Amino acid sequence: AQSVTQLDSHVSVSEGTPVLLRCNYSSSYSPSLFWYVQHPNKGLQLLLKYTSAATLVKGINGFEAEFKKSETSFHLTKPSAHMSDAAEYFCVASPQGAQKLVFGQGTRLTINP
Amino acid sequence: DVKVTQSSRYLVKRTGEKVFLECVQDMDHENMFWYRQDPGLGLRLIYFSYDVKMKEKGDIPEGYSVSREKKERFSLILESASTNQTSMYLCASRLFSGGSYNEQFFGPGTRLTVL
């Protein structure tokens, strides 16, 4: 069965420093992969998605993610954190042929001034 | 832009009440979903619907039912609310064609408190 593991439940960085949120998936074939962001008391907003085209995917708000099949990873990065990036981030997989998504447990990102 | 709306942002109900959570999407999506979100448990799928009048149980359907009479509207029903159903409820929709490449679009959520 497909699973998604977010390796850190909480990440804390200083404003202006790089952000790395780690995600690994397990599958016998490459799924579509997504990163969503959720600000407090809000719904989930799509940051970016991988759909088997380019392995480096650029998203909104300066985020990007790289799909590495050999490592079954899809880590989310941003060169310089901003206070407004403080939120919960979810890595999500969409197995081929399935209508349901598989969610990671989420990573809470805190930005220190 | 796809818009998914939920009937209430905050809701307080009493134990035993019948509760209706409504979700409407405006992009003619075939698939619609109901999740609940709890601290430490992430998002868990309650029910989803892949077409009008079609539904399928998710991972935690107990205590819930759903209704989809029109394509744009997907309702979640708590037949007899209990305190352990206090949670954040999120609705989502998704275009079916294109398969796994399509993302889900989420509503703003309903925070339900059952007293």
Side-chain angles (χ1 to χ4, degrees), chain B residues 18-61:
Chain B
K18 190 169 186 175
V19 181
F20 292 87
L21 302 182
E22 304 284 337
C23 175
V24 177
Q25 51 96 1
D26 66 358
M27 281 301 290
D28 205 35
H29 285 174
E30 294 87 356
N31 296 166
M32 296 188 74
F33 306 80
W34 274 107
Y35 297 90
R36 63 176 285 176
Q37 183 178 23
D38 301 287
L41 297 177
L43 273 78
R44 293 179 292 167
L45 181 65
I46 305 171
Y47 266 97
F48 75 98
S49 168
Y50 45 92
D51 207 341
V52 176
K53 297 191 187 293
M54 308 300 279
K55 61 186 178 185
E56 192 166 316
K57 293 180 180 178
D59 302 317
I60 51 162

Side-chain angles (χ1 to χ4, degrees), chain B residues 30-108:
Chain B
E30 294 87 356
N31 296 166
M32 296 188 74
F33 306 80
W34 274 107
Y35 297 90
R36 63 176 285 176
Q37 183 178 23
D38 301 287
L41 297 177
L43 273 78
R44 293 179 292 167
L45 181 65
I46 305 171
Y47 266 97
F48 75 98
S49 168
Y50 45 92
D51 207 341
V52 176
K53 297 191 187 293
M54 308 300 279
K55 61 186 178 185
E56 192 166 316
K57 293 180 180 178
D59 302 317
I60 51 162
E62 296 78 18
Y64 303 94
S65 62
V66 290
S67 172
R68 192 161 180 208
E69 297 297 318
K70 294 185 177 181
K71 193 173 187 180
E72 67 270 19
R73 187 180 298 270
F74 190 35
S75 303
L76 180 70
I77 304 156
L78 287 65
E79 296 289 343
S80 177
S82 63
T83 55
N84 63 14
Q85 293 179 309
T86 291
S87 186
M88 171 73 117
Y89 289 87
L90 292 165
C91 175
S93 75
R94 185 189 198 192
L95 184 67
F96 176 69
S97 61
S100 63
Y101 297 157
N102 293 329
E103 66 269 32
Q104 289 187 6
F105 293 85
F106 285 83

Side-chain angles (χ1 to χ4, degrees), chain A residues 2-107:
Chain A
Q2 178 83 50
S3 67
V4 174
T5 303
Q6 291 183 243
L7 298 166
D8 306 291
S9 59
H10 183 213
V11 170
S12 181
V13 302
S14 297
E15 190 175 19
T17 64
V19 175
L20 170 64
L21 304 183
R22 299 181 295 165
C23 172
N24 285 100
Y25 69 93
S26 69
S27 178
S28 59
Y29 47 83
S30 297
S32 295
L33 293 163
F34 309 86
W35 275 99
Y36 283 86
V37 60
Q38 185 182 31
H39 291 279
N41 293 311
K42 297 288 178 69
L44 277 68
Q45 179 187 14
L46 182 71
L47 275 178
L48 50 81
K49 66 178 179 180
Y50 166 75
T51 58
S52 78
T55 56
L56 183 63
V57 182
K58 294 190 184 298
I60 61 172
N61 301 333
F63 284 94
E64 62 182 37
E66 186 171 8
F67 174 75
K68 292 187 176 180
K69 187 174 182 178
S70 60
E71 299 176 9
T72 60
S73 69
F74 190 56
H75 301 334
L76 182 70
T77 60
K78 182 173 181 177
S80 177
H82 191 273
M83 294 300 291
S84 61
D85 295 328
E88 184 113 22
Y89 292 79
F90 291 93
C91 182
V92 183
S94 177
Q96 290 185 27
Q99 298 191 41
K100 296 187 285 186
L101 300 183
V102 180
F103 287 81
Q105 288 297 303
T107 298

